[in-house]
């Protein structure tokens, strides 16, 4: 397949990239290393080296591949839902079990929804569109509380590193690793310069504690509201309808007329289309020459690329039976990009709070600059770990 990044036919050759160096996001560890050599336009792009990845055996039908995958994810969804209900009881005080169950619930919902989107042509389209919409609603609703908690922890630890002051940890959260994209050095107060000097650090220390308190008030309130919305969603008739639909999916997958008995090519074609959409999105990203930290207008293209990469990964899981390890590093970088961009937006929103002290506004400005440099660092990591260098330049 020309320009292919992961879903390949048996006659495609594969090359390699260096192995992963450290742990990654919730769906798997990242890979690391430099880019492979440039390829001629229109030639097959490099893929993972070593053992040939699993692929549907000859004679296997599309429904025999897709149906077990969707049924397995539906089973995981239902088990996670049961665990979430058990750990949400008042007797479970720590809430860690409920949080882990919610993550597993979102994980299954994302995979079902993504597979329904990619393989819509081989499924009942009305059923697939409706269930996909409902699962996206559920996953988004459950994710907000976790996102606000992680954002607060990230911002408070960044404030502590920038100022050296003792900024209290976020209530009810665990400390998160900072400088996650591998950036070196902190940003200045909105000017893209180096870390604050001694005088600037002293001024930053004055406002850091108040800035941290302001962020904690705002993001804790948002997290509380997201928690209430999640509880309301889980008790709603809409959610029960979704759970019933997933329970039916666990026993039967509605297919499009004529799909039963079709070969695995029926799955390879939509999977390859998902792959090409990803490659096109990467090619359309702004080039390195235009990179600068304060370009929030470019964030949307990077977020869209992250979603397309996720769809490609799920399609790879369906067709080839396992995740594509060569793209996990790039996916990890895009997750970090999303986290830093949203944290920067939260710092900017806090800085617009009326009647805050100048020292507080200054600390929030430094924090915003630091997170925007983290955004730029994550983009650089993505370009280093993206294994198909020819797709980095738009035609």
């Amino acid at each position: 397949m020309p320009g292919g990044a992961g879903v390949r036919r048996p006659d495609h050759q594969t090359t390699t990239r260096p192995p992963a160096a450290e742990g990654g996001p919730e769906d798997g560890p990242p890979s690391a290393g430099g880019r492979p050599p440039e390829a001629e336009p229109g030639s097959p792009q490099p893929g993972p080296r070593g053992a040939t990845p699993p692929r549907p055996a000859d004679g296997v039908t599309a429904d025999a591949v897709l149906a077990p995958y969707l049924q397995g994810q539906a089973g995981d969804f239902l088990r996670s839902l049961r665990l979430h209900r058990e750990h949400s009881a008042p007797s479970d005080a720590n809430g860690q079990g409920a949080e882990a169950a919610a993550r597993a619930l979102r994980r299954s919902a994302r995979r079902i929804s993504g597979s329904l989107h990619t393989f819509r042509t081989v499924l009942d389209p009305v059923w697939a569109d409706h269930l996909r919409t409902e699962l996206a609603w559920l996953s988004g609703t459950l994710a907000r509380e976790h996102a606000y908690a992680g954002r607060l922890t990230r911002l408070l630890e960044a404030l502590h590193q920038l100022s050296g002051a003792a900024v209290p940890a976020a209530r009810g959260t665990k400390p998160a690793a900072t400088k996650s994209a591998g950036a070196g050095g902190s940003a200045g107060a909105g000017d893209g310069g180096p870390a604050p000097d001694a005088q600037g650090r002293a001024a930053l220390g004055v406002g850091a504690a108040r800035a941290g308190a302001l962020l904690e008030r705002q993001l804790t309130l948002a997290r509380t509201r997201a928690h209430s919305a999640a509880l309301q969603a889980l008790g709603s008739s809409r959610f029960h309808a979704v759970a019933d639909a997933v329970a039916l999916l666990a026993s039967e997958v509605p297919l499009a007329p004529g799909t039963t008995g079709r070969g695995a090519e029926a799955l390879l074609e939509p999977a390859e289309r998902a792959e090409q959409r990803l490659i096109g999105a990467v090619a359309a990203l702004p080039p390195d020459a235009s990179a600068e930290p304060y370009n929030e207008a470019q964030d949307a293209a990077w977020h869209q690329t992250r979603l397309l990469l996720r769809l490609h990964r799920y399609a790879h899981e369906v067709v080839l039976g396992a995740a594509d390890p060569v793209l996990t590093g790039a996916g990890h970088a895009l997750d970090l990009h999303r986290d830093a961009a949203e944290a920067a937006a939260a710092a900017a929103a806090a800085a617009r709070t009326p009647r805050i002290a100048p020292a507080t506004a200054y600390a929030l400005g430094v924090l915003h600059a630091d997170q925007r440099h983290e955004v730029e660092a994550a983009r650089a990591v993505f370009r280093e770990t993206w294994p198909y260098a020819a797709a980095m330049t738009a035609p």
Side-chain angles (χ1 to χ4, degrees):
M1 179 181 59
V7 179
R8 294 176 182 79
R9 302 180 189 274
D11 58 344
H12 280 191
Q13 300 299 317
T14 58
T15 56
T16 191
R17 304 185 61 253
E22 58 183 274
E26 60 185 25
D27 288 331
S31 59
R35 300 177 186 169
E38 296 270 347
E40 292 297 326
S43 64
Q45 298 298 313
R49 179 183 290 173
T52 302
R55 52 177 49 83
D58 293 339
V60 174
T61 60
D63 52 302
V65 175
L66 180 58
Y69 179 85
L70 289 175
Q71 289 170 339
Q73 294 299 328
D76 290 344
F77 180 98
L78 297 173
R79 283 188 291 273
S80 301
L81 177 59
R82 184 183 69 251
L83 289 174
H84 187 274
R85 287 171 175 166
E86 292 174 357
H87 290 288
S88 296
S91 58
D92 189 355
N94 58 26
Q96 293 182 0
E99 182 178 348
R103 284 198 303 269
L105 195 65
R106 296 198 311 269
R107 181 181 184 275
S108 299
R110 287 196 308 268
R111 278 165 168 75
I112 297 172
S113 178
S115 299
L116 296 180
H117 174 80
T118 300
F119 302 105
R120 181 180 183 273
T121 56
V122 298
L123 297 165
D124 181 329
V126 176
W127 168 82
D129 289 345
H130 176 72
L131 183 55
R132 177 170 62 88
T133 300
E134 295 302 283
L135 287 172
W137 159 76
L138 176 63
S139 179
T141 301
L142 296 180
R144 290 191 189 101
E145 179 184 0
H146 174 75
Y148 285 125
R151 200 170 305 157
L152 177 59
T153 300
R154 179 187 184 95
L155 288 169
L156 293 183
E157 294 216 359
L159 268 177
H160 173 69
Q161 286 198 355
L162 289 166
S163 68
V167 180
R171 292 193 298 267
T173 62
K174 296 180 180 179
T178 55
K179 298 301 173 191
S180 49
S186 301
D191 59 359
D197 55 18
Q199 183 177 359
R201 187 176 293 275
L204 179 60
V206 173
R210 290 183 178 180
L214 176 60
L215 288 168
E216 181 158 7
R217 285 196 303 272
Q218 292 184 347
L219 291 177
T220 299
L221 176 61
R223 181 189 180 189
T224 301
R225 289 173 175 170
H227 179 73
S228 299
L231 291 178
Q232 184 177 3
L234 290 173
S236 67
S237 59
R238 183 179 183 182
F239 169 73
H240 288 295
V242 174
D244 290 343
V246 174
L248 291 175
L249 174 62
S251 60
E252 180 181 1
V253 177
L255 299 171
T259 297
T260 303
R262 291 178 63 188
E265 287 290 325
L267 299 181
L268 288 175
E269 291 172 3
E272 289 175 353
R273 286 196 296 271
E275 181 182 72
Q276 290 302 318
R277 286 194 295 269
L278 169 62
I279 291 175
V282 174
L285 291 174
D288 289 332
S290 66
E292 56 94 8
Y294 309 103
N295 51 8
E296 286 89 344
Q298 296 179 0
D299 289 351
W302 288 86
H303 295 333
Q304 178 66 13
T305 300
R306 174 179 172 272
L307 295 177
L308 291 174
L309 189 147
R310 174 175 282 179
L311 288 175
H312 167 68
R313 288 175 53 226
Y314 297 164
H316 196 282
E317 289 182 6
V318 172
V319 175
L320 302 182
D324 185 0
V326 78
L327 288 176
T328 51
H332 181 66
L334 291 177
D335 286 342
L336 296 177
H337 176 277
R338 186 271 316 270
D339 293 345
E342 292 181 347
R352 292 191 292 269
T353 303
R355 297 184 298 277
I356 61 175
T360 305
Y362 174 77
L364 290 169
V366 172
L367 182 60
H368 172 265
D370 174 75
Q371 293 303 301
R372 288 309 305 180
H373 279 270
E374 290 287 305
V375 168
E376 201 58 41
R379 293 178 182 178
V381 171
F382 172 80
R383 296 182 187 278
E384 292 170 1
T385 55
W386 174 252
Y388 313 110
M392 295 298 295
T393 303

